[in-house]
Amino acid sequence: MAEIMKEHVYVIPLRNAKRMPRWKRCNGAMKDIKKFLAKHMKSEDVKIDQGINEKVWYRGAEKPPSKIRVRAMKMEDGQVQAELAPES
């Protein structure tokens, strides 16, 4: 298993998902999370944990949360793994 090089906790805004058609909002929110992490962690290989997926889809496809708190870890091989960060 690769070692962790860099670790950050981000609060990712998902307000842009509200501009999409109702039935596409959660799909767009998941794409926004991947795009945000790829940009900020400087890696195209982003893996999202199931906990993030469940949090985004909790209220259905039409009502994603307005923001989400994520812990992102960049491994030695350049892969970024993201999981739901504990609320503080």
Side-chain angles (χ1 to χ4, degrees), residues 50-68:
Q50 186 176 358
I52 295 173
N53 191 42
E54 289 172 358
K55 175 87 172 179
V56 171
W57 286 87
Y58 179 70
R59 297 190 299 175
E62 298 180 0
K63 298 176 187 174
S66 60
K67 58 188 172 183
I68 192 166

Side-chain angles (χ1 to χ4, degrees), residues 20-71:
M20 297 182 174
R22 278 183 179 251
W23 52 279
K24 284 186 177 180
R25 287 183 181 169
C26 279
N27 288 330
M30 293 302 293
K31 288 177 187 174
D32 287 347
I33 291 170
K34 273 192 152 183
K35 192 162 94 173
F36 182 94
L37 291 173
K39 177 180 178 182
H40 288 275
M41 298 295 278
K42 295 176 177 54
S43 175
E44 293 299 318
D45 188 13
V46 178
K47 301 294 179 192
I48 300 216
D49 187 45
Q50 186 176 358
I52 295 173
N53 191 42
E54 289 172 358
K55 175 87 172 179
V56 171
W57 286 87
Y58 179 70
R59 297 190 299 175
E62 298 180 0
K63 298 176 187 174
S66 60
K67 58 188 172 183
I68 192 166
R69 188 178 165 102
V70 170
R71 187 175 125 211

Side-chain angles (χ1 to χ4, degrees), residues 68-82:
I68 192 166
R69 188 178 165 102
V70 170
R71 187 175 125 211
M73 300 162 288
K74 188 171 186 178
M75 303 299 175
E76 282 182 340
D77 58 357
Q79 183 183 40
V80 175
Q81 294 180 356

